[in-house]
Amino acid sequence: MKRRTFLATTAAAVAAPGILRAQTKANVLRFVPEADVVIFDPVTTPSWQTRDYAYLVYDTLYGMDDQNRPQPQMVEGANTSADGLTWTLSLREGLRFHDNEPVRAQDVVPSIRRWGARDAFGQALLAATNEISAKGDRVVEIRLKKPFPLLPNALGKTMAYPCMVMPERVAKSDPFKAITETVGSGPYRFVANERVPGAKLVFEKFAAYQPRNGGKPEQTAGPKAAHFDRIEWTIMQDTATAAAALQRGEIDWLQTPNNDLIPTLRTNKNIVVRTILPTGLIAYMRFNHLVPPFNNPAIRRALIGAIDQRDYMIAINGADKSLWRDGVGYFAPTSPYASKAGMEKLTGKRDYARVKAELEKAGYKGEKVVMLVAVNIPYLKMMGEVSNDVFKKIGLNVDYVATDWTTVVQRRQKTEPAEQGGWNIFSIYDNGANELDPASHLLLRGNGKEAQFGWPTMPKIEELRNAWFDAKAPADQKKICEQIQLQAFEEVPYIPLGQSIPPTAYRNTITGVLSGHPFFWNVRRSA
Amino acid sequence: MAVVAIVVFALLHLSPGDPAAIIAGDQATTQEIEKVRVQLGLDRPLAVQFASWVGDIARGDLGRSIYDGQPVARMIGQRLEPTLALALCTLLVSLVASLPMGIIAAWKAGTWIDRAIMGFAVLGFSVPVFVIGYGLIYLFALTWELLPVQGYASPREGIGDFIAHMVMPSLALGWVLTALFARMTRTSMLEVLSQDYIRTAQAKGLSTTRVLVGHALKNAAVPIVTTIGIGIALLIGGVVVTETVFAIPGVGLLTVDAILRRDYPVIQGVVLVFSAVYVLINLAVDLSYGFLDPRIRF
């Protein structure tokens, strides 16, 4: 054998497995999510990654279109009694779980109950419900105590804690204990034995899945056609490496590129950089309402005058205005309930001297303000730095507690005064989709110890929230939300700090990416 | 190992952070978080939790992840191959590069060659692994498109793919080790090269290579091997950064994830395994002294 022949043969032999692997990967979508999925139960965690995973493997009774209107998904159709007290939902024919068992009404009933035990919207629905029962294999009847016109919105919500349908044996489990078995009826099946925690998740197309006929695929509404045989999620902690892998074509889709790298990605003609989540992320500053000084609403109100959302947004996202929005109120800017009501308090001229005087007038006596800052997460550190600067200017006695995110999560649950290990203030993001309406907007809850960390007591806002559930006309609902916002500016459960609109990036060979969270149906590889 | 177990357990459980709060999520009330804590058994006294963990270890069970219930031993097992492969390749790269550099630097002591090699060594200590990693990615993957940016390919799937994925991580991680080993080799060799028996060997007419490798290096080996043992400990720390930069699904990344989430059983399991490996390496280094220098007896 000649030397050249030998070298060529050896090189071919060495490269062969790689070439073979590349060929077999032709119909694989390689996706890099923001983080790993660590809890595989969408009912027990609000984790965004768990939700995105759940939409691949489970299906929902209703979906949401681009206008956030509920559309039937697993449901063939629904009838409502004249008095609005009975809803009859019929399931589509041919729905199957991944273990090939049919999806029955008997599976849907405990699925709604388990979800309703954890989700705020679900809790509101169950509170208005007398009975949920299966009338045959394909009919679910929901009998209500009072009309609940938002029932399809509740069952189709897309933010944290979506109502996913699970097999009866799974759905009957404790809603406070995460399930470990994944048997959904969605367009992709989770391949559990290929999972490497913290590194890889694999999904395979579920051949028996039947997308609904007709309709336009938008977010979670319409037909969910799976065009890939396999979807691989690779967890990459370093976004610079992920961006390099995208440029090189080693991955197809990077969920959230680092803002610093977006200009580089935009110059690459093989990459599409696009905003698919118009609701974005809304930064906010949360107070502990139980302890001084922020148990005083006048102090909280005074603080609004010092907050300039631009400062926060530029610190987090940079100067590119396409990546953020200021002038953000108590509802997401894309919500039909977003309004100008009371917004002058946030958008008017910032005057630190005036705020300082107002704080003194409100009774602030230089008490220590313990501010928790998770410095291991860059955007949280940025929020903390801006707040620290502002607070110094207005004379707050800030104790800047630099720590890690896990410690913040633990410490923010403490209701005790700051000197006993509690806290006064911290800043973080909320998913904008949570702030589309009062049902899922937990930061606006005012039910005291039952509310989220911070525990505001705001009976007026709770009243308005209940009135919103009962309102039938959209105009009435909008008016109520304006009142909620005005009241929020009075009671200040938190201060909105602006909206980040992170884009996603994918190779231009990928088409059909829908708006909303990363949904994988309708996505295909162009020839 | 027992001391390590006690210290790790105590440090983890006394440090702030609550996995129950993370699992329960942002929307959970204090009562709901408490329910999760009870389910996880984290409400039990620390002594009870420790006894339970030690009892499991005695039965060969490292426990299960708090988050998804996966056995810790399986999680480590899944991640061991990439980390071991990276460690071995790095060691290989470092030794192949550093020993000749150290020998040549000692042989040419005081010349520009010596100064160049020692200059490289200073650079090796000064430049962080991630900077080297990004530099290599920029050059070899993005500019010249010769190597993949990230990931790991098992040698079972093709040796070519495996090598392609290992080149940059090994170079990045091996940089500092090469500097360390080269410096140590030079120092050790310098001492030996001034001995009478080296002059005798040269006077006998032996070739320079024979003198340097056959006589000098063999006698300088004990401190070099000791440094290699220490280097492997450094390597374990460096693996975390390298695995992050090159997205290699190894034990290092598993450790970081577990620490950030306070997944106690996983952290404890990984630390125990790492400490066991470290003990074994030290043992191997100690035993090697007897082979390298017959005067050493245990």
Side-chain angles (χ1 to χ4, degrees), chain A residues 254-416:
Chain A
L254 170 59
Q255 182 180 357
T256 311
N258 189 318
N259 282 352
D260 295 339
L261 301 169
I262 288 170
T264 306
L265 295 178
R266 279 192 175 137
T267 59
N268 189 321
K269 64 182 185 337
N270 297 317
I271 294 171
V272 177
V273 179
R274 189 187 135 204
T275 298
I276 60 168
L277 185 63
T279 47
L281 304 165
I282 295 179
Y284 66 94
M285 178 187 288
R286 184 67 157 179
F287 307 104
N288 184 346
H289 292 240
L290 299 181
V291 297
F294 297 123
N295 58 352
N296 178 347
I299 290 180
R300 300 197 300 269
R301 270 197 299 275
L303 213 55
I304 294 178
I307 299 302
D308 186 342
Q309 293 185 347
R310 279 176 56 86
D311 291 344
Y312 285 89
M313 290 297 101
I314 290 173
I316 298 167
N317 303 294
D320 184 350
K321 192 76 170 67
S322 70
L323 300 176
W324 54 270
R325 190 181 275 145
D326 56 350
V328 176
Y330 282 94
F331 290 96
T334 48
S335 160
Y337 305 118
S339 71
K340 297 277 180 201
M343 283 299 290
E344 65 281 357
K345 290 181 176 155
L346 260 176
T347 55
K349 189 171 177 288
R350 306 293 91 178
D351 182 346
Y352 297 127
R354 181 175 53 82
V355 172
K356 197 171 181 179
E358 282 177 3
L359 283 172
E360 282 170 20
K361 194 177 162 195
Y364 178 65
K365 296 181 180 67
E367 299 97 324
K368 191 188 279 185
V369 171
V370 172
M371 180 168 71
L372 305 181
V373 183
V375 292
N376 64 322
I377 299 180
Y379 59 81
L380 295 182
K381 184 171 188 297
M382 290 296 117
M383 290 183 204
E385 295 296 332
V386 176
S387 296
N388 197 29
D389 180 52
V390 171
F391 291 169
K392 279 180 184 162
K393 285 175 181 164
I394 59 174
L396 281 189
N397 177 15
V398 186
D399 180 7
Y400 182 108
V401 179
T403 183
D404 72 336
W405 172 239
T406 315
T407 306
V408 172
V409 170
Q410 181 200 30
R411 195 163 169 183
R412 73 182 179 185
Q413 297 299 336
K414 289 183 182 289
T415 54
E416 296 87 356

Side-chain angles (χ1 to χ4, degrees), chain A residues 14 17 21 38 161 174 176 195 197 236-238 241 248 250 404 406-407 410 412-413 442 450 452, chain B residues 17 22 26-27 29 33 39 68 78-79 134 141 145 147-150 157 160-161 245 257 260-262:
Chain A
V14 164
R21 204 145 49 101
V38 288
Y161 297 118
D174 181 355
F176 288 92
R195 177 189 173 226
M236 290 192 202
Q237 296 207 345
D238 191 319
T241 304
R248 188 73 205 281
E250 291 175 23
D404 72 336
T406 315
T407 306
Q410 181 200 30
R412 73 182 179 185
Q413 297 299 336
L442 298 187
E450 296 298 311
Q452 263 191 342
Chain B
I22 299 171
D26 286 357
Q27 302 191 2
T29 62
I33 292 170
Q39 274 173 358
D68 57 12
Q78 279 178 322
R79 306 293 204 102
Y134 289 140
E145 299 191 353
L147 295 167
V149 173
Q150 49 79 42
E157 294 170 32
D161 243 8
V245 171
D257 285 343
L260 290 175
R261 288 198 286 263
R262 306 291 194 272

Side-chain angles (χ1 to χ4, degrees), chain B residues 170-194:
Chain B
S170 306
L171 286 175
L173 184 55
W175 189 269
V176 66
L177 285 190
T178 304
L180 175 70
F181 296 162
R183 274 187 82 103
M184 197 61 215
T185 305
R186 178 186 178 272
T187 308
S188 196
M189 286 286 287
L190 274 179
E191 198 180 325
V192 173
L193 286 174
S194 63

Side-chain angles (χ1 to χ4, degrees), chain B:
Chain B
M1 291 292 289
V3 173
V4 170
I6 293 167
V7 170
V8 168
F9 187 90
L11 277 179
L12 282 178
H13 287 77
L14 294 176
S15 63
D18 182 2
I22 299 171
I23 289 172
D26 286 357
Q27 302 191 2
T29 62
T30 309
Q31 292 79 9
E32 288 171 349
I33 292 170
E34 191 51 38
K35 272 189 186 178
V36 175
R37 193 173 291 118
V38 170
Q39 274 173 358
L40 296 174
L42 297 173
D43 60 321
R44 297 175 299 167
L46 273 188
V48 175
Q49 290 184 51
F50 182 70
S52 164
W53 179 57
V54 170
D56 287 344
I57 288 174
R59 289 191 298 274
D61 179 4
L62 290 176
R64 285 173 178 270
S65 162
I66 283 176
Y67 287 85
D68 57 12
Q70 293 251 343
V72 173
R74 196 170 112 194
M75 291 172 82
I76 295 173
Q78 279 178 322
R79 306 293 204 102
L80 214 50
E81 184 191 305
T83 301
L84 282 179
L86 176 59
L88 289 174
C89 289
T90 302
L91 207 56
L92 187 71
V93 166
S94 311
L95 290 175
V96 167
S98 66
L99 290 182
M101 284 165 72
I103 293 168
I104 292 167
W107 180 38
K108 299 285 182 186
T111 67
W112 67 269
I113 297 173
D114 178 30
R115 280 196 288 276
I117 291 172
M118 286 306 102
F120 163 80
V122 170
L123 200 67
F125 283 122
S126 315
V127 185
V129 171
F130 68 88
V131 172
I132 299 165
Y134 289 140
L136 291 172
I137 288 174
Y138 178 74
L139 290 176
F140 288 94
L142 293 180
T143 307
W144 299 324
E145 299 191 353
L146 292 172
L147 295 167
V149 173
Q150 49 79 42
Y152 172 73
S154 172
R156 286 169 302 207
E157 294 170 32
I159 197 70
D161 243 8
F162 169 75
I163 292 170
H165 281 89
M166 276 294 123
V167 172
M168 288 196 294
S170 306
L171 286 175
L173 184 55
W175 189 269
V176 66
L177 285 190
T178 304
L180 175 70
F181 296 162
R183 274 187 82 103
M184 197 61 215
T185 305
R186 178 186 178 272
T187 308
S188 196
M189 286 286 287
L190 274 179
E191 198 180 325
V192 173
L193 286 174
S194 63
Q195 299 293 315
D196 290 343
Y197 59 84
I198 296 294
R199 202 177 308 120
T200 307
Q202 286 170 330
K204 276 164 59 185
L206 290 181
S207 70
T208 306
T209 310
R210 189 104 187 262
V211 172
L212 288 173
V213 179
H215 291 262
L217 183 62
K218 196 177 171 190
N219 285 289
V222 169
I224 296 171
V225 170
T226 307
T227 311
I228 291 171
I230 296 165
I232 292 172
L234 279 176
L235 200 146
I236 289 171
V239 152
V240 174
V241 180
T242 314
E243 286 180 358
T244 305
V245 171
F246 293 98
I248 296 170
V251 182
L253 271 183
L254 177 70
T255 314
V256 175
D257 285 343
I259 290 169
L260 290 175
R261 288 198 286 263
R262 306 291 194 272
D263 197 343
Y264 300 136
V266 176
I267 306 170
Q268 288 160 187
V270 169
V271 173
L272 271 188
V273 169
F274 272 156
S275 55
V277 168
Y278 194 52
V279 167
L280 287 175
I281 288 166
N282 273 298
L283 184 67
V285 168
D286 283 351
L287 291 176
S288 72
Y289 293 160
F291 293 102
L292 296 168
D293 185 347
R295 291 169 298 180
I296 299 173
R297 288 280 174 269
F298 296 103

